[in-house]
PDB file of all heavy atoms in Angstrom:
ATOM      1  N   ALA A  42      99.097  80.113 130.534  1.00 97.00           N
ATOM      2  CA  ALA A  42      98.612  81.391 129.913  1.00 97.00           C
ATOM      3  C   ALA A  42      99.433  82.554 130.429  1.00 97.00           C
ATOM      4  O   ALA A  42      99.777  83.472 129.627  1.00 97.00           O
ATOM      5  CB  ALA A  42      97.113  81.586 130.251  1.00 97.00           C
ATOM      6  N   THR A  43      99.759  82.623 131.691  1.00 98.00           N
ATOM      7  CA  THR A  43     100.582  83.662 132.242  1.00 98.00           C
ATOM      8  C   THR A  43     102.004  83.671 131.647  1.00 98.00           C
ATOM      9  O   THR A  43     102.551  84.668 131.331  1.00 98.00           O
ATOM     10  CB  THR A  43     100.637  83.618 133.762  1.00 98.00           C
ATOM     11  OG1 THR A  43      99.269  83.620 134.243  1.00 98.00           O
ATOM     12  CG2 THR A  43     101.377  84.800 134.329  1.00 98.00           C
ATOM     13  N   ARG A  44     102.488  82.424 131.385  1.00 97.00           N
ATOM     14  CA  ARG A  44     103.757  82.288 130.737  1.00 97.00           C
ATOM     15  C   ARG A  44     103.701  82.887 129.351  1.00 97.00           C
ATOM     16  O   ARG A  44     104.635  83.586 128.871  1.00 97.00           O
ATOM     17  CB  ARG A  44     104.183  80.823 130.665  1.00 97.00           C
ATOM     18  CG  ARG A  44     105.525  80.542 130.004  1.00 97.00           C
ATOM     19  CD  ARG A  44     105.941  79.121 130.049  1.00 97.00           C
ATOM     20  NE  ARG A  44     106.126  78.708 131.387  1.00 97.00           N
ATOM     21  CZ  ARG A  44     105.458  77.605 131.971  1.00 97.00           C
ATOM     22  NH1 ARG A  44     104.610  76.908 131.261  1.00 97.00           N
ATOM     23  NH2 ARG A  44     105.711  77.292 133.227  1.00 97.00           N
ATOM     24  N   LYS A  45     102.632  82.662 128.595  1.00 96.00           N
ATOM     25  CA  LYS A  45     102.504  83.162 127.251  1.00 96.00           C
ATOM     26  C   LYS A  45     102.489  84.711 127.285  1.00 96.00           C
ATOM     27  O   LYS A  45     103.128  85.359 126.431  1.00 96.00           O
ATOM     28  CB  LYS A  45     101.231  82.649 126.584  1.00 96.00           C
ATOM     29  CG  LYS A  45     101.342  81.159 126.192  1.00 96.00           C
ATOM     30  CD  LYS A  45     100.114  80.643 125.552  1.00 96.00           C
ATOM     31  CE  LYS A  45     100.288  79.168 125.170  1.00 96.00           C
ATOM     32  NZ  LYS A  45      99.082  78.664 124.540  1.00 96.00           N
ATOM     33  N   ILE A  46     101.776  85.248 128.238  1.00 96.00           N
ATOM     34  CA  ILE A  46     101.802  86.739 128.405  1.00 96.00           C
ATOM     35  C   ILE A  46     103.177  87.206 128.693  1.00 96.00           C
ATOM     36  O   ILE A  46     103.646  88.200 128.123  1.00 96.00           O
ATOM     37  CB  ILE A  46     100.809  87.182 129.501  1.00 96.00           C
ATOM     38  CG1 ILE A  46      99.375  86.782 129.150  1.00 96.00           C
ATOM     39  CG2 ILE A  46     100.951  88.667 129.828  1.00 96.00           C
ATOM     40  CD1 ILE A  46      98.809  87.523 127.969  1.00 96.00           C
ATOM     41  N   ARG A  47     103.913  86.553 129.590  1.00 96.00           N
ATOM     42  CA  ARG A  47     105.276  86.934 129.927  1.00 96.00           C
ATOM     43  C   ARG A  47     106.140  86.883 128.681  1.00 96.00           C
ATOM     44  O   ARG A  47     106.990  87.774 128.441  1.00 96.00           O
ATOM     45  CB  ARG A  47     105.801  86.019 130.985  1.00 96.00           C
ATOM     46  CG  ARG A  47     107.146  86.387 131.522  1.00 96.00           C
ATOM     47  CD  ARG A  47     108.276  85.538 131.042  1.00 96.00           C
ATOM     48  NE  ARG A  47     108.138  84.148 131.368  1.00 96.00           N
ATOM     49  CZ  ARG A  47     108.753  83.183 130.685  1.00 96.00           C
ATOM     50  NH1 ARG A  47     109.611  83.471 129.744  1.00 96.00           N
ATOM     51  NH2 ARG A  47     108.580  81.921 131.022  1.00 96.00           N
ATOM     52  N   ILE A  48     105.984  85.851 127.866  1.00 94.00           N
ATOM     53  CA  ILE A  48     106.813  85.738 126.648  1.00 94.00           C
ATOM     54  C   ILE A  48     106.496  86.906 125.704  1.00 94.00           C
ATOM     55  O   ILE A  48     107.413  87.508 125.116  1.00 94.00           O
ATOM     56  CB  ILE A  48     106.591  84.369 125.970  1.00 94.00           C
ATOM     57  CG1 ILE A  48     107.260  83.243 126.829  1.00 94.00           C
ATOM     58  CG2 ILE A  48     107.164  84.363 124.573  1.00 94.00           C
ATOM     59  CD1 ILE A  48     106.874  81.867 126.421  1.00 94.00           C
ATOM     60  N   LEU A  49     105.242  87.200 125.540  1.00 94.00           N
ATOM     61  CA  LEU A  49     104.883  88.366 124.754  1.00 94.00           C
ATOM     62  C   LEU A  49     105.478  89.644 125.251  1.00 94.00           C
ATOM     63  O   LEU A  49     106.001  90.447 124.426  1.00 94.00           O
ATOM     64  CB  LEU A  49     103.367  88.533 124.640  1.00 94.00           C
ATOM     65  CG  LEU A  49     102.584  87.537 123.828  1.00 94.00           C
ATOM     66  CD1 LEU A  49     101.101  87.763 123.990  1.00 94.00           C
ATOM     67  CD2 LEU A  49     102.970  87.727 122.358  1.00 94.00           C
ATOM     68  N   LEU A  50     105.453  89.855 126.537  1.00 94.00           N
ATOM     69  CA  LEU A  50     106.000  91.089 127.104  1.00 94.00           C
ATOM     70  C   LEU A  50     107.525  91.118 127.091  1.00 94.00           C
ATOM     71  O   LEU A  50     108.105  92.124 127.294  1.00 94.00           O
ATOM     72  CB  LEU A  50     105.469  91.230 128.539  1.00 94.00           C
ATOM     73  CG  LEU A  50     103.956  91.473 128.657  1.00 94.00           C
ATOM     74  CD1 LEU A  50     103.520  91.409 130.133  1.00 94.00           C
ATOM     75  CD2 LEU A  50     103.526  92.765 128.007  1.00 94.00           C
ATOM     76  N   SER A  51     108.151  89.971 126.815  1.00 93.00           N
ATOM     77  CA  SER A  51     109.622  89.852 126.821  1.00 93.00           C
ATOM     78  C   SER A  51     110.142  90.008 125.392  1.00 93.00           C
ATOM     79  O   SER A  51     111.382  89.982 125.243  1.00 93.00           O
ATOM     80  CB  SER A  51     110.039  88.520 127.385  1.00 93.00           C
ATOM     81  OG  SER A  51     109.668  88.391 128.714  1.00 93.00           O
ATOM     82  N   LEU A  52     109.274  90.197 124.412  1.00 91.00           N
ATOM     83  CA  LEU A  52     109.782  90.296 123.017  1.00 91.00           C
ATOM     84  C   LEU A  52     110.734  91.498 122.923  1.00 91.00           C
ATOM     85  O   LEU A  52     110.416  92.567 123.463  1.00 91.00           O
ATOM     86  CB  LEU A  52     108.603  90.478 122.064  1.00 91.00           C
ATOM     87  CG  LEU A  52     107.690  89.274 121.881  1.00 91.00           C
ATOM     88  CD1 LEU A  52     106.471  89.654 120.960  1.00 91.00           C
ATOM     89  CD2 LEU A  52     108.473  88.130 121.290  1.00 91.00           C
ATOM     90  N   GLN A  53     111.846  91.284 122.219  1.00 89.00           N
ATOM     91  CA  GLN A  53     112.794  92.366 122.123  1.00 89.00           C
ATOM     92  C   GLN A  53     112.281  93.464 121.218  1.00 89.00           C
ATOM     93  O   GLN A  53     112.526  94.660 121.464  1.00 89.00           O
ATOM     94  CB  GLN A  53     114.127  91.795 121.543  1.00 89.00           C
ATOM     95  CG  GLN A  53     115.198  92.811 121.599  1.00 89.00           C
ATOM     96  CD  GLN A  53     116.583  92.193 121.723  1.00 89.00           C
ATOM     97  OE1 GLN A  53     116.701  90.958 121.712  1.00 89.00           O
ATOM     98  NE2 GLN A  53     117.590  92.983 121.787  1.00 89.00           N
ATOM     99  N   ASN A  54     111.574  93.145 120.158  1.00 89.00           N
ATOM    100  CA  ASN A  54     111.082  94.107 119.219  1.00 89.00           C
ATOM    101  C   ASN A  54     109.581  94.312 119.368  1.00 89.00           C
ATOM    102  O   ASN A  54     108.836  93.340 119.067  1.00 89.00           O
ATOM    103  CB  ASN A  54     111.436  93.726 117.774  1.00 89.00           C
ATOM    104  CG  ASN A  54     112.903  93.727 117.517  1.00 89.00           C
ATOM    105  OD1 ASN A  54     113.653  94.591 118.014  1.00 89.00           O
ATOM    106  ND2 ASN A  54     113.410  92.731 116.807  1.00 89.00           N
ATOM    107  N   ASP A  55     109.163  95.429 119.772  1.00 88.00           N
ATOM    108  CA  ASP A  55     107.753  95.826 119.816  1.00 88.00           C
ATOM    109  C   ASP A  55     106.848  94.849 120.599  1.00 88.00           C
ATOM    110  O   ASP A  55     105.934  94.299 120.060  1.00 88.00           O
ATOM    111  CB  ASP A  55     107.283  95.980 118.404  1.00 88.00           C
ATOM    112  CG  ASP A  55     105.958  96.764 118.290  1.00 88.00           C
ATOM    113  OD1 ASP A  55     105.710  97.588 119.215  1.00 88.00           O
ATOM    114  OD2 ASP A  55     105.188  96.539 117.339  1.00 88.00           O
ATOM    115  N   PRO A  56     107.122  94.676 121.902  1.00 92.00           N
ATOM    116  CA  PRO A  56     106.271  93.819 122.720  1.00 92.00           C
ATOM    117  C   PRO A  56     104.881  94.478 122.797  1.00 92.00           C
ATOM    118  O   PRO A  56     104.789  95.707 122.803  1.00 92.00           O
ATOM    119  CB  PRO A  56     106.901  93.783 124.071  1.00 92.00           C
ATOM    120  CG  PRO A  56     107.876  94.881 124.086  1.00 92.00           C
ATOM    121  CD  PRO A  56     108.251  95.238 122.664  1.00 92.00           C
ATOM    122  N   PRO A  57     103.783  93.695 122.754  1.00 93.00           N
ATOM    123  CA  PRO A  57     102.462  94.228 122.682  1.00 93.00           C
ATOM    124  C   PRO A  57     101.903  94.711 124.043  1.00 93.00           C
ATOM    125  O   PRO A  57     100.897  94.220 124.530  1.00 93.00           O
ATOM    126  CB  PRO A  57     101.610  93.054 122.126  1.00 93.00           C
ATOM    127  CG  PRO A  57     102.346  91.845 122.682  1.00 93.00           C
ATOM    128  CD  PRO A  57     103.839  92.190 122.666  1.00 93.00           C
ATOM    129  N   PHE A  58     102.551  95.706 124.610  1.00 93.00           N
ATOM    130  CA  PHE A  58     102.083  96.209 125.913  1.00 93.00           C
ATOM    131  C   PHE A  58     100.666  96.682 125.873  1.00 93.00           C
ATOM    132  O   PHE A  58      99.892  96.444 126.762  1.00 93.00           O
ATOM    133  CB  PHE A  58     103.013  97.348 126.384  1.00 93.00           C
ATOM    134  CG  PHE A  58     104.389  96.898 126.797  1.00 93.00           C
ATOM    135  CD1 PHE A  58     105.465  97.256 126.057  1.00 93.00           C
ATOM    136  CD2 PHE A  58     104.563  96.150 127.955  1.00 93.00           C
ATOM    137  CE1 PHE A  58     106.758  96.836 126.428  1.00 93.00           C
ATOM    138  CE2 PHE A  58     105.831  95.690 128.341  1.00 93.00           C
ATOM    139  CZ  PHE A  58     106.906  96.064 127.576  1.00 93.00           C
ATOM    140  N   ASP A  59     100.327  97.451 124.840  1.00 94.00           N
ATOM    141  CA  ASP A  59      98.957  97.975 124.730  1.00 94.00           C
ATOM    142  C   ASP A  59      97.922  96.888 124.707  1.00 94.00           C
ATOM    143  O   ASP A  59      96.889  96.999 125.360  1.00 94.00           O
ATOM    144  CB  ASP A  59      98.817  98.876 123.453  1.00 94.00           C
ATOM    145  CG  ASP A  59      99.630 100.149 123.564  1.00 94.00           C
ATOM    146  OD1 ASP A  59      99.957 100.544 124.728  1.00 94.00           O
ATOM    147  OD2 ASP A  59      99.862 100.776 122.519  1.00 94.00           O
ATOM    148  N   LEU A  60      98.190  95.841 123.956  1.00 93.00           N
ATOM    149  CA  LEU A  60      97.252  94.693 123.907  1.00 93.00           C
ATOM    150  C   LEU A  60      97.014  94.082 125.287  1.00 93.00           C
ATOM    151  O   LEU A  60      95.912  93.819 125.694  1.00 93.00           O
ATOM    152  CB  LEU A  60      97.764  93.597 122.958  1.00 93.00           C
ATOM    153  CG  LEU A  60      96.967  92.295 122.866  1.00 93.00           C
ATOM    154  CD1 LEU A  60      95.569  92.572 122.295  1.00 93.00           C
ATOM    155  CD2 LEU A  60      97.704  91.243 122.044  1.00 93.00           C
ATOM    156  N   VAL A  61      98.125  93.893 125.987  1.00 94.00           N
ATOM    157  CA  VAL A  61      98.047  93.282 127.328  1.00 94.00           C
ATOM    158  C   VAL A  61      97.358  94.184 128.347  1.00 94.00           C
ATOM    159  O   VAL A  61      96.426  93.807 129.015  1.00 94.00           O
ATOM    160  CB  VAL A  61      99.461  92.861 127.829  1.00 94.00           C
ATOM    161  CG1 VAL A  61      99.411  92.435 129.249  1.00 94.00           C
ATOM    162  CG2 VAL A  61     100.029  91.776 126.917  1.00 94.00           C
ATOM    163  N   ILE A  62      97.792  95.418 128.334  1.00 94.00           N
ATOM    164  CA  ILE A  62      97.231  96.390 129.300  1.00 94.00           C
ATOM    165  C   ILE A  62      95.765  96.683 129.038  1.00 94.00           C
ATOM    166  O   ILE A  62      94.973  96.853 129.973  1.00 94.00           O
ATOM    167  CB  ILE A  62      98.047  97.714 129.284  1.00 94.00           C
ATOM    168  CG1 ILE A  62      99.441  97.416 129.913  1.00 94.00           C
ATOM    169  CG2 ILE A  62      97.379  98.811 130.060  1.00 94.00           C
ATOM    170  CD1 ILE A  62     100.434  98.570 129.677  1.00 94.00           C
ATOM    171  N   SER A  63      95.346  96.665 127.785  1.00 94.00           N
ATOM    172  CA  SER A  63      93.936  96.995 127.452  1.00 94.00           C
ATOM    173  C   SER A  63      93.035  95.784 127.541  1.00 94.00           C
ATOM    174  O   SER A  63      91.810  95.952 127.378  1.00 94.00           O
ATOM    175  CB  SER A  63      93.859  97.607 126.080  1.00 94.00           C
ATOM    176  OG  SER A  63      94.192  96.626 125.069  1.00 94.00           O
ATOM    177  N   SER A  64      93.529  94.602 127.812  1.00 94.00           N
ATOM    178  CA  SER A  64      92.709  93.428 127.916  1.00 94.00           C
ATOM    179  C   SER A  64      91.951  93.456 129.245  1.00 94.00           C
ATOM    180  O   SER A  64      92.576  93.511 130.311  1.00 94.00           O
ATOM    181  CB  SER A  64      93.525  92.134 127.864  1.00 94.00           C
ATOM    182  OG  SER A  64      94.112  91.996 126.605  1.00 94.00           O
ATOM    183  N   PRO A  65      90.621  93.471 129.201  1.00 93.00           N
ATOM    184  CA  PRO A  65      89.823  93.637 130.431  1.00 93.00           C
ATOM    185  C   PRO A  65      90.092  92.620 131.528  1.00 93.00           C
ATOM    186  O   PRO A  65      90.060  91.408 131.308  1.00 93.00           O
ATOM    187  CB  PRO A  65      88.350  93.446 129.945  1.00 93.00           C
ATOM    188  CG  PRO A  65      88.406  93.707 128.459  1.00 93.00           C
ATOM    189  CD  PRO A  65      89.809  93.245 128.035  1.00 93.00           C
ATOM    190  N   GLY A  66      90.514  93.178 132.683  1.00 95.00           N
ATOM    191  CA  GLY A  66      90.722  92.317 133.854  1.00 95.00           C
ATOM    192  C   GLY A  66      92.047  91.599 133.929  1.00 95.00           C
ATOM    193  O   GLY A  66      92.381  90.973 134.927  1.00 95.00           O
TER     194      GLY A  66
END
Side-chain angles (χ1 to χ4, degrees):
T43 305
R44 181 177 296 123
K45 288 178 180 181
I46 296 296
R47 187 256 302 160
I48 290 169
L49 284 174
L50 294 172
S51 298
L52 291 174
Q53 187 152 3
N54 295 320
D55 198 26
F58 290 111
D59 290 340
L60 173 66
V61 171
I62 292 169
S63 67
S64 295

